[in-house]
């Protein structure tokens, strides 16, 4: 089992920045691909970004490409999501998720077995 705890959400004005973090425990972290998803009220869960288990490749949803950056620090068992140029439409609960050992990048929620509790990001106009 993997435990994931997100932090860093909050209220920010449009154009501002936030950095989310997700601390993992319970299983070796440096062999797991990691991802961020988000869910806004009344909408389905949406893929945001993923980083490979090596940390050498990433993929992003078109809606955040160029504004968000996913990264990981395996020494700290932590994955990050740097969010810049935030827009009101970025408002959502953000969740990190862990994939399977040595798995590849994926934007599909079914490829991730463990999920954090979420952290709320609210962007005001």
């Amino acid at each position: 089992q993997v435990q994931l705890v997100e932090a860093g959400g909050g209220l920010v004005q449009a154009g501002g920045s936030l950095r989310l973090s997700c601390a993992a425990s319970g299983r070796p972290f440096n062999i797991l691909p990691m991802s961020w998803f988000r869910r806004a009220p009344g909408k389905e869960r949406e893929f945001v970004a993923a980083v490979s288990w090596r940390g050498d490749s990433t993929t992003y949803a078109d809606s955040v490409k160029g504004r968000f950056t996913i990264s990981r620090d395996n020494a700290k068992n932590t994955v990050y999501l740097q969010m810049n140029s935030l827009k009101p439409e970025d408002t959502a609960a953000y969740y990190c998720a862990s994939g399977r050992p040595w798995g590849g990048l994926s934007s599909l929620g079914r490829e991730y077995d463990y999920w954090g509790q979420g952290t709320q990001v609210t962007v005001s106009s």
Side-chain angles (χ1 to χ4, degrees):
Q1 188 175 358
V2 178
Q3 294 81 46
L4 303 170
V5 180
E6 300 100 331
L11 175 64
V12 65
Q13 292 184 338
S17 298
L18 286 172
R19 189 176 77 153
L20 308 183
S21 63
C22 174
S25 62
R27 188 173 291 181
F29 174 75
N30 64 355
I31 62 172
L32 305 176
M34 300 293 296
S35 68
W36 289 93
F37 288 75
R38 66 187 182 187
R39 186 171 185 135
K43 294 186 177 181
E44 294 184 353
R45 184 178 62 192
E46 177 187 22
F47 171 77
V48 176
V51 60
S52 65
W53 63 269
R54 284 190 177 94
D56 59 351
S57 61
T58 59
T59 187
Y60 298 90
D62 287 343
S63 59
V64 307
K65 196 172 298 181
R67 300 187 298 120
F68 291 10
T69 303
I70 188 171
S71 62
R72 65 192 299 158
D73 185 342
N74 286 342
K76 296 182 178 180
N77 288 356
T78 301
V79 62
Y80 302 94
L81 185 69
Q82 179 67 47
M83 305 184 294
N84 298 326
S85 301
L86 283 162
K87 304 175 181 179
E89 50 263 46
D90 295 318
T91 295
Y94 284 71
Y95 301 85
C96 67
S98 63
R100 293 150 199 170
W102 301 284
L105 288 175
S106 178
S107 63
L108 303 175
R110 66 174 179 264
E111 294 297 315
Y112 298 92
D113 294 328
Y114 298 98
W115 298 77
Q117 84 287 352
T119 185
Q120 179 67 38
V121 172
T122 302
V123 184
S124 62
S125 59

